[in-house]
Amino acid sequence: MSPGNRMLMVIVLCLLGGSHANLIPHSDIRPAPSHQLLRDFELSLLRMFGLQRRPQPSQEVPVPDYMRDLYRLQSAEDDDELRQINLEYPDRPTSRANTVRSFHHEEHLENIPGTSGSTSIRFFFNLTSIPENEVISSAELRLYREQIDHGPTWEEGFHRINIYEVMKPPTENGQLITRLLDTRLIHHNVTRWESFDVSPAIMRWTQEKSINHGLAVEVVHLNQTKHFQGKHVRVSRSLLPHENSDWSQIRPLLITFSHDGRGHALTRRSKRSPKPQRARKKNKNCRRHALYVDFSDVGWNDWIVAPPGYQAFYCHGDCPFPLADHLNSTNHAIVQTLVNSVNSSIPKACCVPTELSAISMLYLDEYDKVVLKNYQEMVVEGCGCR
Ligand SMILES: *[C@@H]1O[C@H](CO)[C@@H](O)[C@H](O)[C@H]1NC(C)=O
Ligand SMILES: *[C@@H]1O[C@H](CO)[C@@H](O)[C@H](O)[C@H]1NC(C)=O
Ligand SMILES: *[C@@H]1O[C@H](CO)[C@@H](O)[C@H](O)[C@H]1NC(C)=O
Ligand SMILES: *[C@@H]1O[C@H](CO)[C@@H](O)[C@H](O)[C@H]1NC(C)=O
Ligand SMILES: *[C@@H]1O[C@H](CO)[C@@H](O)[C@H](O)[C@H]1NC(C)=O
C-alpha cells in the first residue's frame, strides 16, 4: 500500500467511524501511520462490514446474474437505467431485509431419483455462513427451466414442480420424509426462472435451530412421456443432456433475505440528483469535498464485486466565529465557538458530517458466498460545525 492510499484509508475510516473523527489531524501534512495502526483500521472497517476477517475468495467464484441484477436494481441512478434491468424485485422481503445472500447446493451431497427409492432430488445448501444475529425474513429457491422446441405435444407439456423440506435423514431405501413448501403447474413453452417460496424451512433451520436435512425438488410429468423427463428443469448437472459450460449460471440458487439489525432495508432510496457545483467563493469554511474511494487502491477489489469504488466525500474547512446558519451548526457548537473566541484553550467546533447516506455493496464473504448488503453512513450528504 502506498502512503497516499494509507492516508486515503485513514480518512475513509474516520469518515465512517464518526467517533474517530478526532483522530484526523486537520492538516494534510503528517507522517504516514504505522503498520499496526493501519491493521487496526482495516480490522475496524471489516468489523463494520460484519466480517471476522478479510475475505480471501478462491479464484473462480461465479457471481449469479440474479445477484448482479439485484445490485443494479438497488443502485440504479435513474428510471432509464431501471427499465434496462429485466427483473421484478421480489416484493415480499423488501420491507425488512438489508442483506441478500445466495447459495449453491453441495453437489456431492445430492440424491438423484433412480439411485434411491424417491422420485425427488434432494439438495443440501450449507447455510452456516449466515451470522447468528441475522434474522431471515424470507427465502426463495430459484430453478431454471428451458423451453422444449421439438418436444412432446401441447397436452404432454404440462408438469408440476413440487418443493419440499426434508424432515428426516433419508431412510435406508432412500425414501424421504418431506413436507410440501411450494408447488406450481407449468408448461414447457417458455424458458425462464421459477421462484419458489422456501421461507418456512430456512426460518426453521436458522431461527429455530432445527437440523437442515435439505430441500427436495420433484418434477411430476402429468402426461407421462418418459423421454422428456428431467431434461428441461435445470436441477442437476448430472441430468443435463450435454456438458453445459454455463452450469454455474443456470444451476439452482437459494436466496435468503435477512436483516442484521443495522441500518436501512434494501428498498430503493430515491437518489438525489447531484447538486450542481456552484462556483465556490474563495472561502475556507466547512464544506463537503469530493473523495473517490477506489477499492482497488486498497486491494479490496478481489472480494468486493461491485461497485469498483464510490464517491464518499469528506468534510473539511473552518468553523469561524460567529458561526453562520449555513454551517449546519448546533446551539452547542455556537456556544463552543463563542468560548473559543475568548479562551483559545477551548477548541473551535469541528467540521464533521451531519448527514450520511447508504450504499449497496455486492461482495464475496469468507465462505465464497455472494452477498448483497446495504451499508449505512457511507456517503457524506452534508457537513456542519459541531
Ligand atoms: C458447512 O460449511 C462450514 C463452513 O465452511 C463447514 O465447516 C461445515 O462442515 C459445512 N457443513 C456441511 C454439512 O457440509
Ligand atoms: C393429458 O393428456 C390428455 C390427452 O392427451 C389431455 O386431455 C389432458 O388435459 C392432459 N392433462 C394435462 C394436465 O394437460
Ligand atoms: C404457455 O402455456 C401456459 C399454460 O397453458 C400459458 O398460460 C402461457 O400463456 C403460454 N405461454 C406462451 C408464451 O405460449
Ligand atoms: C481557559 O479554559 C481552560 C480550560 O477550561 C481553563 O483552565 C482556563 O482557566 C481558561 N482561561 C481563561 C483565561 O479563562
Ligand atoms: C448542511 O446540510 C445540508 C443538508 O444535510 C447540506 O445540503 C448542506 O450542504 C450542508 N452545509 C454545508 C456547509 O455542508
Side-chain angles (χ1 to χ4, degrees):
M1 232 189 288
S2 76
N5 294 334
R6 288 174 187 170
M7 188 88 85
L8 180 71
M9 199 158 150
V10 171
I11 294 171
V12 172
L13 284 160
C14 293
L15 283 174
L16 301 174
S19 58
H20 298 298
N22 294 337
L23 293 174
I24 341 177
H26 280 261
S27 144
D28 287 340
I29 312 132
R30 65 208 170 91
S34 76
H35 261 297
Q36 183 56 47
L37 189 62
L38 271 174
R39 240 194 322 272
D40 290 349
F41 272 135
E42 191 174 31
L43 276 179
S44 60
L45 197 52
L46 287 173
R47 207 169 300 130
M48 188 200 85
F49 283 134
L51 298 166
Q52 306 297 319
R53 57 181 178 274
R54 181 197 191 287
Q56 310 274 357
S58 28
Q59 284 302 305
E60 289 290 315
V61 181
V63 177
D65 289 339
Y66 183 61
M67 292 297 278
R68 288 191 195 273
D69 286 346
L70 284 180
Y71 167 77
R72 287 165 61 211
L73 205 58
Q74 279 299 301
S75 38
E77 293 287 344
D78 53 46
D79 290 346
D80 271 353
E81 207 175 313
L82 266 186
R83 270 190 292 273
Q84 288 168 16
I85 308 165
N86 185 22
L87 181 72
E88 310 147 45
Y89 202 82
D91 38 60
R92 270 174 295 114
T94 50
S95 53
R96 278 172 293 164
N98 74 346
T99 307
V100 185
R101 295 176 184 274
S102 65
F103 301 87
H104 286 138
H105 68 285
E106 308 288 322
E107 284 185 291
H108 63 282
L109 295 175
E110 91 186 0
N111 290 38
I112 305 288
T115 60
S116 69
S118 169
T119 55
S120 32
I121 300 181
R122 188 170 70 97
F123 289 116
F124 180 78
F125 293 93
N126 190 339
L127 305 178
T128 54
S129 63
I130 302 177
E132 294 255 320
N133 64 342
E134 232 168 81
V135 179
I136 308 270
S137 53
S138 76
E140 59 172 332
L141 178 66
R142 296 174 62 80
L143 301 178
Y144 187 69
R145 62 185 183 91
E146 280 175 342
Q147 182 180 0
I148 302 178
D149 285 331
H150 309 291
T153 60
W154 178 266
E155 286 77 19
E156 289 173 326
F158 285 95
H159 45 266
R160 180 170 286 285
I161 301 180
N162 295 322
I163 310 291
Y164 303 94
E165 173 183 356
V166 180
M167 305 305 287
K168 295 201 168 112
T171 59
E172 266 174 30
N173 63 5
Q175 278 300 315
L176 297 176
I177 312 294
T178 58
R179 179 172 79 159
L180 186 67
L181 292 169
D182 202 357
T183 177
R184 190 163 309 142
L185 180 67
I186 57 176
H187 191 273
H188 72 219
N189 58 358
V190 285
T191 295
R192 56 169 285 175
W193 285 90
E194 295 289 342
S195 164
F196 298 90
D197 184 7
V198 293
S199 314
I202 310 305
M203 282 162 159
R204 268 168 39 83
W205 298 338
T206 54
Q207 264 102 294
E208 295 170 33
K209 306 269 180 286
S210 307
I211 299 172
N212 173 358
H213 293 298
L215 297 172
V217 176
E218 182 180 40
V219 183
V220 183
H221 295 258
L222 299 177
N223 275 338
Q224 289 290 326
T225 45
K226 275 264 183 257
H227 185 56
F228 292 98
Q229 283 201 15
K231 292 248 168 111
H232 55 291
V233 184
R234 296 294 181 230
V235 283
S236 170
R237 190 200 298 266
S238 65
L239 293 179
L240 285 186
H242 47 84
E243 201 48 53
N244 196 319
S245 54
D246 277 349
W247 175 239
S248 70
Q249 285 302 344
I250 61 173
R251 59 185 292 191
L253 187 65
L254 180 70
I255 302 283
T256 64
F257 296 87
S258 56
H259 201 291
D260 58 9
R262 299 191 286 181
H264 299 290
L266 276 168
T267 40
R268 282 200 6 91
R269 67 192 172 110
S270 56
K271 286 272 150 63
R272 276 160 237 260
S273 47
K275 289 166 211 118
Q277 289 288 314
R278 279 172 286 124
R280 294 250 167 227
K281 286 165 269 160
K282 281 262 183 243
N283 81 28
K284 290 183 177 159
N285 281 356
C286 174
R287 65 177 176 89
R288 193 175 77 159
H289 302 261
L291 169 65
Y292 185 79
V293 179
D294 191 331
F295 291 129
S296 63
D297 277 354
V298 287
W300 281 17
N301 52 330
D302 58 344
W303 64 276
I304 298 179
V305 178
Y310 79 106
Q311 190 62 258
F313 299 105
Y314 71 103
C315 297
H316 186 67
D318 295 337
C319 292
F321 172 80
L323 278 181
D325 280 349
H326 69 272
L327 292 176
N328 291 330
S329 47
T330 56
N331 285 339
H332 179 269
I334 292 168
V335 172
Q336 188 174 330
T337 307
L338 176 68
V339 175
N340 164 269
S341 68
V342 294
N343 182 346
S344 58
S345 65
I346 303 295
K348 284 183 185 173
C350 293
C351 180
V352 293
T354 53
E355 195 190 340
L356 295 149
S357 65
I359 63 163
S360 300
M361 282 179 32
L362 187 62
Y363 66 91
L364 305 168
D365 69 9
E366 307 105 298
Y367 308 97
D368 281 359
K369 301 282 191 273
V370 182
V371 182
L372 170 66
K373 211 174 174 103
N374 235 20
Y375 287 104
Q376 58 177 346
E377 301 181 345
M378 293 285 282
V379 179
V380 175
E381 296 288 344
C383 299
C385 294
R386 296 288 161 96

